[in-house]
Amino acid sequence: MATYDQRVVITMTSACAQDFAHTLLARAGSYQLAQLPNVSWLVQKTFIRDASGNVVNTIG
């Protein structure tokens, strides 16, 4: 893991990337990988609204 221009760059092995793809879900929650014990991902709900502000879809 490194930082560049105020961004965090995480380099993963192929196996870690596959685990990442299978572990993180498009569902609200906190996710962590055994290969990266110091990193966690927080997925939060996103509300998609129409022009009137009504929620038309929810992701997460």
Side-chain angles (χ1 to χ4, degrees):
M1 185 167 34
T3 57
Y4 300 98
D5 296 324
Q6 299 180 353
R7 295 183 180 146
V8 176
V9 177
I10 299 172
T11 303
M12 298 180 190
T13 64
S14 178
C16 184
Q18 288 178 5
D19 190 27
F20 177 85
H22 290 12
T23 300
L24 263 73
L25 305 174
R27 185 172 20 200
S30 180
Y31 301 90
Q32 194 165 19
L33 302 176
Q35 299 94 327
L36 298 171
N38 296 323
V39 179
S40 61
W41 288 267
L42 179 62
V43 176
Q44 296 179 320
K45 285 188 179 185
T46 299
F47 300 102
I48 310 300
R49 299 178 185 273
D50 64 14
S52 299
N54 300 309
V55 175
V56 295
N57 196 3
T58 301
I59 300 172

